[in-house]
């Protein structure tokens, strides 16, 4: 019997790199500005990570300040607040992601079901508007609504013979308020992605379902929602990658600097900012930022690996 011959892969031969460059030099030249932009604004700033391991001084700057080993991380963990702000950041983002998916997908489905074009456009515009409102403005609105002495809500309560509500001295109310504000601001913007996915669906399956006697709710339940699952998984994975990052504008501009509310409203971003402002210790602040980035990286890698095992089509890479 003859020897078994190894099967050869059939495909075009690999072209040397210099030939690829020579053949596609015009396309690569068009790509060059984007590559330079990413290097300058994304990769070059990453060298500032060394600040987390240095005792920063203005004379030496970022790269010539003396090394400090892990002392910045020791100071960060000894402070006793890192666990609290990490817990707050995770819990808030879990609420934002969960409720955000429900509200954004629900808003997109409802907008798709609206038949009147004018009403549909007006509704979508009104939902999209909060996204453009600055957190500074939102913070001012909240303050003017709930100010203990002159707030609109308290004036209404007094006129009804009820007691005033001191929001800024009621820590337990803030998780609900902050979650409500975040969902109010992001729902319109997030629904655009789901609405685009709905409009790109094959309309023939909806027509076939109608012919089979399916009502609107059955088409949403058995056709629209399952078809939106890949889009939902991609957006959730991207959001999980930032689960250790808080919306600085939301938590700082709305809450301001109330020490009473810090245990339930302080997140990693505001904690790093306060470290830098109060202590002026750039090294410890850089260590906190590196701690946050490493946790985000680990989380997205684990989440993507788990999704890939369950369904590779839903994974990011």
């Amino acid at each position: 019997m003859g020897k078994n011959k190894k099967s050869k892969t059939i495909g075009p031969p690999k072209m040397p790199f210099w030939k690829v460059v020579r053949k596609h030099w015009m396309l690569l030249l068009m790509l060059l500005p984007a590559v330079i932009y990413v290097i300058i604004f994304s990769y070059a700033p990453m060298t500032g990570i060394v600040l987390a391991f240095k005792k920063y001084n203005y004379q030496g700057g970022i790269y010539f300040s003396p090394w400090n080993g892990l002392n910045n991380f020791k100071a960060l963990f000894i402070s006793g607040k890192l666990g609290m702000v990490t817990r707050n950041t995770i819990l808030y983002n879990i609420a934002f992601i969960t409720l955000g998916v429900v509200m954004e997908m629900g808003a997109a489905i409802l907008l798709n079901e609206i038949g009147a074009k004018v009403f549909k456009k007006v509704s979508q515009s009104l939902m999209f508007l909060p996204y453009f409102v600055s957190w500074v403005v939102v913070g001012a609105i909240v303050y003017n609504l709930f100010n203990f002495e002159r707030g609109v809500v308290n004036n209404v309560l007094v006129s009804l013979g009820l007691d005033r509500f001191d929001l800024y001295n009621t820590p337990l109310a803030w998780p609900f308020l902050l979650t409500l504000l975040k969902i109010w601001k992001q729902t319109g913007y997030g629904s655009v992605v789901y609405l685009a996915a709905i409009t790109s669906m094959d309309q023939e399956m909806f027509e076939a379902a109608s012919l089979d006697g399916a009502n609107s709710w059955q088409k949403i339940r058995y056709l629209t929602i399952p078809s939106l699952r890949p889009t939902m998984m991609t957006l959730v994975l991207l959001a999980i990658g930032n689960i250790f990052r808080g919306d600085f504008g939301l938590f700082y501009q709305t809450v301001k600097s109330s020490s009473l509310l810090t245990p339930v409203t302080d997140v990693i971003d505001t904690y790093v900012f306060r470290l830098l402002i109060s202590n002026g210790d750039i090294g410890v602040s850089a260590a906190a930022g590196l701690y946050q980035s490493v946790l985000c990286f680990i989380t997205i890698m684990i989440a993507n690996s788990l999704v890939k095992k369950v369904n590779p089509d839903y994974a990011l890479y």
Side-chain angles (χ1 to χ4, degrees):
M1 294 177 67
K3 295 181 178 180
N4 293 330
K5 295 182 179 180
K6 294 183 178 179
S7 59
K8 297 181 179 180
T9 56
I10 300 175
K14 291 185 177 180
M15 189 181 298
F17 178 73
W18 66 272
K19 286 188 177 181
V20 175
V21 175
R22 185 177 178 181
K23 181 178 180 181
H24 302 290
W25 67 271
M26 189 172 293
L27 295 176
L28 294 173
L29 187 64
M30 294 171 63
L31 182 65
L32 187 61
V35 173
I36 294 174
Y37 177 86
V38 171
I39 291 173
I40 292 175
F41 294 102
S42 297
Y43 285 96
M46 289 176 64
T47 58
I49 289 174
V50 297
L51 271 177
F53 307 96
K54 290 195 170 189
K55 187 173 180 59
Y56 181 81
N57 61 65
Y58 291 97
Q59 184 178 0
I62 296 176
Y63 303 106
F64 299 103
S65 295
W67 292 97
N68 199 22
L70 297 175
N71 289 333
N72 292 329
F73 292 93
K74 289 180 181 178
L76 189 63
F77 284 97
I78 289 173
S79 66
K81 293 184 177 180
L82 191 61
M84 178 193 70
V85 297
T86 303
R87 178 204 64 200
N88 289 346
T89 307
I90 294 174
L91 293 178
Y92 274 115
N93 278 316
I94 289 175
F96 295 162
I97 293 170
T98 305
L99 294 176
V101 168
V102 175
M103 296 300 295
E104 291 165 13
M105 188 184 296
I109 293 172
L110 289 176
L111 285 172
N112 184 65
E113 293 297 317
I114 296 176
K117 292 184 178 180
V118 176
F119 182 73
K120 182 177 181 178
K121 290 181 178 179
V122 172
S123 301
Q124 189 173 3
S125 300
L126 291 176
M127 289 177 58
F128 204 85
L129 184 61
Y131 177 77
F132 297 101
V133 179
S134 169
W135 282 121
V136 179
V137 177
V138 174
I141 293 172
V142 172
Y143 181 79
N144 283 280
L145 283 175
F146 294 100
N147 181 269
F148 187 74
E149 297 293 336
R150 300 178 299 275
V152 175
V153 173
N154 281 317
N155 288 335
V156 173
L157 290 175
V158 170
S159 66
L160 295 175
L162 302 174
D163 295 332
R164 294 179 181 271
F165 176 65
D166 193 356
L167 177 67
Y168 290 90
N169 284 316
T170 310
L172 294 179
W174 281 92
F176 300 99
L177 177 62
L178 292 173
T179 303
L180 177 64
L181 291 174
K182 180 67 175 180
I183 298 303
W184 168 75
K185 203 169 187 295
Q186 77 174 24
T187 297
Y189 180 81
S191 65
V192 173
V193 180
Y194 290 105
L195 191 60
I198 291 174
T199 55
S200 64
M201 293 177 186
D202 186 6
Q203 297 301 313
E204 291 184 358
M205 63 179 182
F206 292 97
E207 295 174 0
S210 299
L211 292 174
D212 289 338
N215 55 33
S216 297
W217 167 244
Q218 290 173 330
K219 287 187 284 186
I220 290 171
R221 181 180 178 182
Y222 296 107
L223 295 178
T224 305
I225 294 178
S227 299
L228 286 176
R229 195 172 297 159
T231 304
M232 180 194 69
M233 290 302 302
T234 301
L235 293 178
V236 168
L237 282 175
L238 292 173
I240 289 175
N242 290 316
I243 199 168
F244 287 96
R245 297 190 183 279
D247 192 330
F248 179 80
L250 168 64
F251 291 98
Y252 186 75
Q253 297 295 341
T254 309
V255 182
K256 306 299 181 186
S257 55
S258 174
S259 58
L260 179 65
L261 303 177
T262 298
V264 295
T265 61
D266 210 14
V267 293
I268 297 177
D269 298 78
T270 54
Y271 177 61
V272 172
F273 179 76
R274 289 192 178 96
L275 277 177
L276 185 59
I277 295 300
S278 60
N279 301 335
D281 196 332
I282 296 177
V284 176
S285 301
L290 181 58
Y291 162 82
Q292 183 183 38
S293 299
V294 170
L295 287 179
C296 288
F297 176 75
I298 293 172
T299 305
I300 187 61
M301 294 295 290
I302 293 174
N304 190 72
S305 300
L306 293 175
V307 171
K308 187 181 290 187
K309 288 183 178 180
V310 177
N311 193 334
D313 294 336
Y314 294 163
L316 291 176
Y317 50 87

